[in-house]
Amino acid sequence: MTVIQKKVSFPANRLQVAAILNMPEQAEEKKQLPAIVCVHPGSSCKDQTAGIYAKKLAELGYVTIVFDASYQGESEGEPRHAEYPAARVEDVRSAVDYLTTLDCVDSHRIGALGVCAGGGYAVNAAMTERRIQAVGAVSVANIGRGYREYDPIQMLEQVAQQRTAEARGAAPLITEWVPGSHTEREAAGMTELDLVEAVDYYRTPRGQHPNSPNKLKFTSVDSIIAFDAFHLADILLTQPLQIIVGGVQGAFGSYRDGHDLYSRAASKKKDLFIVDGASHYDLYDKPEPVSKAVEILKAFFKENL
């Protein structure tokens, strides 16, 4: 199915969020189509993996929207490059708001799909955003869990010192999400699978994009550390849930987070699908693993939207 892509924006927390709206051909004439909000990973942007899934789902007949997180990419927000989980969740809610204003969308058939940390944010939003009728999560990651595993108290002490410095006039500290190149990674002796593949995806022509500059405002790390994407999932996450993870495990922990989410979710209809032989980042853009994931999502959203 031919997909028409439009650059749009919508308000979230008094900021304008930049987005791409994917519409199946003749969507405006057909009207009342199901729609899906697609949420990108931490450090990513609308033009990378979440955008791939958004376009493929639109080819299946869904209206989809994918956006740059507030404070990042082409979206508004100061300080730049901040990762605020609360804002990320509000972005998802606001994307739902936007979809409900479109004549071609059935506001009673809206779903959410997130990749990596975006999966965690989609899940977290769905717990209290009851307009989201079904949730998909690919290579799902609980971003706060990941940060808490690496001496969070020491990191919070560093954040505190940096906030004091910036309050006194120091320049904002902007760090990297991952090493800037394979050369930089190798020089640091970093060989872990997920980290190697993260550099390969984000810092080489494979997936590199100007709207994903590998920059993180360091003082926003405190809010990441305190965030549990799955908190209250055992009570509030009741919508149908489809989790997809790769069978090849890496240190970023999406395989573990996928199982954790599955066990915690209150959803009566839930499924955990493991793509054998695929790693976390294979599910970002590699044709065969992505095709398998899309086939699972196709059946899931058809049944639940």
Side-chain angles (χ1 to χ4, degrees):
M1 182 180 295
T2 302
V3 174
I4 299 169
Q5 294 187 305
K6 297 181 180 179
K7 284 195 169 185
V8 299
S9 65
F10 58 84
N13 278 329
R14 301 181 183 178
L15 302 174
Q16 284 297 310
V17 172
I20 298 172
L21 182 67
N22 298 277
M23 302 177 66
E25 191 174 27
Q26 297 181 330
E28 292 176 330
E29 289 82 2
K30 293 178 182 178
K31 297 189 176 183
Q32 297 302 293
L33 293 174
I36 300 171
V37 176
C38 298
V39 191
H40 69 66
S43 85
S44 191
C45 67
K46 65 184 181 305
D47 309 276
Q48 294 173 320
T49 179
I52 292 173
Y53 281 91
K55 188 171 186 296
K56 288 184 177 295
L57 290 169
E59 290 169 354
L60 296 176
Y62 297 91
V63 175
T64 65
I65 189 166
V66 60
F67 54 88
D68 288 339
S70 298
Y71 309 97
Q72 300 172 26
E74 295 181 312
S75 292
E76 291 182 345
E78 296 287 344
R80 299 307 295 166
H81 314 302
E83 179 79 3
Y84 295 133
R88 291 280 253 133
V89 171
E90 186 61 26
D91 289 344
V92 177
R93 294 176 182 278
S94 299
V96 174
D97 288 343
Y98 176 79
L99 288 175
T100 66
T101 70
L102 302 179
D103 291 338
C104 60
V105 169
D106 183 344
S107 61
H108 299 291
R109 291 196 292 162
I110 295 176
L113 171 70
V115 181
C116 190
Y121 291 132
V123 162
N124 194 267
M127 291 187 210
T128 51
E129 179 49 83
R130 306 310 298 183
R131 293 174 297 178
I132 296 175
Q133 300 296 309
V135 187
V138 175
S139 289
V140 62
N142 185 345
I143 189 171
R145 186 275 310 156
Y147 271 76
R148 287 189 293 274
E149 291 187 347
Y150 297 94
D151 201 344
I153 299 303
Q154 181 184 24
M155 190 172 295
L156 289 170
E157 293 285 359
Q158 293 170 349
V159 169
Q161 293 170 15
Q162 183 61 29
R163 287 184 67 96
T164 295
E166 291 180 20
R168 293 172 176 171
L173 176 58
I174 306 298
T175 59
E176 293 182 327
W177 285 87
V178 298
S181 66
H182 280 304
T183 300
E184 183 181 323
R185 174 189 61 75
E186 290 166 359
M190 299 176 178
T191 60
E192 193 281 320
L193 172 68
D194 278 353
L195 186 58
V196 171
E197 294 195 354
V199 174
D200 196 61
Y201 182 77
Y202 285 114
R203 308 310 301 158
T204 76
R206 172 184 166 189
Q208 194 169 17
H209 195 278
N211 290 334
S212 171
N214 194 34
K215 294 180 179 180
L216 173 64
K217 188 169 192 302
F218 180 67
T219 55
S220 68
V221 169
D222 56 0
S223 61
I224 300 175
I225 289 173
F227 179 69
D228 177 4
F230 307 156
H231 179 56
L232 298 179
D234 58 319
I235 300 172
L236 300 178
L237 184 60
T238 61
Q239 296 97 318
L241 173 66
Q242 178 65 64
I243 304 163
I244 301 172
V245 297
V248 179
Q249 299 184 48
F252 290 0
S254 60
Y255 184 91
R256 179 168 29 132
D257 283 341
H259 284 77
D260 182 34
L261 175 59
Y262 180 81
S263 66
R264 290 170 68 173
S267 309
K268 292 182 179 179
K269 294 176 66 176
K270 57 183 177 180
D271 180 66
L272 171 61
F273 184 84
I274 299 171
V275 182
D276 291 332
S279 68
H280 181 102
Y281 286 95
D282 286 344
L283 283 162
Y284 276 39
D285 66 338
K286 294 293 180 69
E288 185 176 348
V290 170
S291 292
K292 288 182 179 179
V294 170
E295 281 301 307
I296 297 299
L297 293 167
K298 176 181 178 180
F300 171 73
F301 283 122
K302 182 178 180 181
E303 180 180 348
N304 296 292
L305 288 183

